[in-house]
Amino acid sequence: KDRNRENSWTDSEYWIEKRIIMNQLVNIGFGNIVNFEKYLNIERNYSNYTIKNYLIDITEFITYCNNFNKNYLNIKYTDIKSYLTHLYEKKYKSTTISRKISALRTFYAFLYDKNIVDKNVFEYITLPKKEKRLPKYLSNDDIDEIFKIIDISTPLGIRNRLILELLYGSGLRVSELCNIKLSDIDFSNKSIRIIGKGKKERIVYYG
């Protein structure tokens, strides 16, 4: 995922995008998506950004099936192989293909649980190997230079220094830091209650 895009994905943008996707689904007559979207939102606590991508990936697959006169509720392993070939021919990256297959695997697991399909045909599909890339990191000298730039003689500078100290020292995500409330901070124990992805709660310490 692109974390920066995910963190900047607002509710209004989500609902606009969702309306476009749902209009496409209505046009091709696939009502199961509506219940699946509710399932991702309520039961799985997925972010708006993730749900949007799942709906796009599933819509793309169902449209592909429709174009080849395939019933998406009655597909076979050979149909999935053909779809994978189609994705590779479109020059998608392996990470994108993996995301699409993961979305479809979750979707068909949902359909199976609801007795809409006989089996989850995506359950045993092997995901493409991810491209291995060396992680980008900052050296100790780089970190020192960043902290030296901040003018801590002003209130704004002190705030910015605190933000960097928390990000560097606690491993917080930017979105998690932005959502910290005063009531989340336990000054006596030097700890902060964090609500992370999937609304999971954890405690981080500072000092």
Side-chain angles (χ1 to χ4, degrees):
K1 296 179 186 177
D2 186 330
R3 294 190 186 280
N4 291 330
R5 284 190 64 196
E6 179 173 359
N7 292 335
S8 64
W9 191 259
T10 64
D11 286 341
S12 60
E13 290 171 326
Y14 166 69
W15 286 108
I16 292 171
E17 191 76 22
K18 178 186 170 183
R19 179 176 294 178
I20 294 172
I21 296 169
M22 287 304 179
N23 285 339
Q24 293 173 343
L25 291 169
V26 168
N27 291 336
I28 50 181
F30 305 124
N32 290 318
I33 310 291
V34 176
N35 290 330
F36 180 64
E37 187 271 340
K38 293 177 181 177
Y39 163 76
L40 294 179
N41 184 32
I42 298 172
E43 296 189 33
R44 299 293 289 268
N45 286 323
Y46 281 4
S47 69
N48 289 342
Y49 181 81
T50 299
I51 293 174
K52 182 210 65 155
N53 279 328
Y54 268 43
L55 295 180
I56 289 174
D57 293 337
I58 293 165
T59 303
E60 181 180 352
F61 175 70
I62 295 177
T63 302
Y64 169 85
C65 291
N66 202 43
N67 290 339
F68 288 90
N69 296 317
K70 302 284 185 181
N71 183 346
Y72 79 100
L73 297 177
N74 189 31
I75 61 170
K76 301 177 182 178
Y77 178 70
T78 52
D79 298 322
I80 300 175
K81 287 185 66 176
S82 298
Y83 184 62
L84 285 171
T85 300
H86 166 74
L87 295 178
Y88 281 114
E89 288 176 348
K90 293 187 72 171
K91 306 297 182 183
Y92 282 124
K93 293 182 179 179
S94 60
T95 51
T96 301
I97 294 176
S98 292
R99 188 202 72 211
K100 290 178 180 295
I101 298 302
S102 294
L104 289 166
R105 181 180 293 162
T106 304
F107 177 56
Y108 276 86
F110 169 79
L111 295 177
Y112 177 74
D113 289 341
K114 300 297 181 182
N115 296 316
I116 297 172
V117 296
D118 294 332
K119 60 183 178 180
N120 181 357
V121 289
F122 283 90
E123 185 175 1
Y124 299 109
I125 297 297
T126 303
L127 299 179
K129 292 183 178 180
K130 293 184 178 180
E131 302 170 0
K132 294 184 178 180
R133 293 181 295 179
L134 292 175
K136 296 180 181 179
Y137 63 91
L138 297 174
S139 68
N140 290 332
D141 290 338
D142 293 331
I143 296 295
D144 289 338
E145 286 300 319
I146 292 174
F147 281 111
K148 287 178 182 177
I149 292 173
I150 301 173
D151 180 8
I152 58 174
S153 64
T154 66
L156 181 61
I158 294 174
R159 187 208 65 176
N160 292 341
R161 175 63 179 257
L162 175 60
I163 289 173
L164 283 180
E165 289 278 5
L166 276 174
L167 289 173
Y168 179 67
S170 64
L172 290 175
R173 298 183 179 94
V174 172
S175 59
E176 292 173 341
L177 185 143
C178 291
N179 289 326
I180 293 175
K181 302 178 180 64
L182 193 60
S183 58
D184 295 327
I185 304 174
D186 184 340
F187 292 98
S188 60
N189 291 321
K190 293 187 176 180
S191 64
I192 308 173
R193 185 174 70 98
I194 301 297
I195 306 298
K197 283 193 169 184
K199 298 181 181 178
K200 293 181 180 178
E201 182 177 322
R202 72 181 192 277
I203 302 295
V204 301
Y205 295 89
Y206 67 91

